[in-house]
Amino acid sequence: GVVAELIKSDKKYDVALETALAAAAQNVVTAGTEDARYLIEYLKANKFGRVTFLPISSVKPRVRNAEVTRALSERGALGMADELVTFDKQYYNVISNLLGNTLIVDTLENATKIANKYRFAFKMVTLEGDVFSTQGAMTGGSRRTDMPGLLSSDRRIEDNARELESRRQ
């Protein structure tokens, strides 16, 4: 399946995690490289476009940066992105690779202080989706709130199903 379907998170982290994953949320996880190769050949043969595949057997987990481990104790640091999601352990390498060195921080102000202290040694994302990259770039601004995110879609479906059942009763 796609990465976004393989992870669950607390609602308060959805925007940060969707931002941290970015386009990778739609990458397709396969068991191995042969599966990915077959699918790529199928896409080419049928001119169905391009997809990024993440074979479990070849994707390597990310080694935690020492600075990010120290930064976990800073004011506003909420946790490592890969530890704020739940997923089947068979996907550990993939989730670790995508989120393993990303710190989730509560506010832009606290993230700025952490970024300056650690000299942008690791990626950070705030709860509102502001991003601090390891290259020193900062990305932020307003977000569209009328579009559901990939991580919150399943939750919205479940909530709507419960609401519908409640109304039926």
Side-chain angles (χ1 to χ4, degrees):
V2 297
V3 171
E5 294 174 345
L6 303 177
I7 62 176
K8 301 281 185 230
S9 69
D10 187 300
K11 185 177 183 176
K12 76 178 187 176
Y13 300 121
D14 280 354
V15 171
L17 292 168
E18 287 170 5
T19 303
L21 285 169
Q26 296 182 46
N27 290 353
V28 176
V29 177
T30 63
T33 55
E34 287 302 310
D35 298 320
R37 183 183 61 78
Y38 171 81
L39 292 167
I40 289 169
E41 288 173 357
Y42 180 81
L43 291 171
K44 285 180 180 180
N46 293 286
K47 299 186 183 339
F48 285 155
R50 298 174 63 85
V51 174
T52 299
F53 296 96
L54 302 171
I56 294 170
S57 64
S58 64
V59 174
K60 293 175 178 49
R62 191 174 295 266
V63 176
R64 177 130 323 137
N65 178 319
E67 284 94 349
V68 78
T69 301
R70 286 195 302 277
L72 283 167
S73 63
E74 297 291 337
R75 180 175 180 210
L78 301 175
M80 299 304 300
D82 63 338
E83 295 174 351
L84 296 175
V85 295
T86 56
F87 55 92
D88 187 308
K89 294 306 172 200
Q90 71 176 321
Y91 305 119
Y92 171 78
N93 287 3
V94 172
I95 304 306
S96 171
N97 180 279
L98 296 174
L99 298 173
N101 237 4
T102 301
L103 180 66
I104 305 299
V105 182
D106 61 354
T107 65
L108 182 61
E109 179 183 357
N110 286 331
T112 303
K113 289 176 184 174
I114 295 169
N116 289 331
K117 181 174 181 177
Y118 293 92
R119 303 180 54 99
F120 292 83
F122 45 87
K123 182 177 179 179
M124 285 187 296
V125 181
T126 68
L127 292 177
E128 292 186 340
D130 305 304
V131 180
F132 291 70
S133 77
T134 56
Q135 293 82 21
M138 296 169 57
T139 304
S142 64
R143 297 177 53 90
R144 287 186 62 176
T145 57
D146 59 339
M147 298 292 293
L150 290 170
L151 296 180
S152 61
S153 294
D154 286 345
R155 185 179 304 106
R156 287 184 73 167
I157 291 169
E158 291 169 8
D159 290 347
N160 288 340
R162 279 194 294 274
E163 176 68 21
L164 181 61
E165 184 59 32
S166 173
R167 288 182 183 203
R168 281 184 181 151
Q169 291 177 358

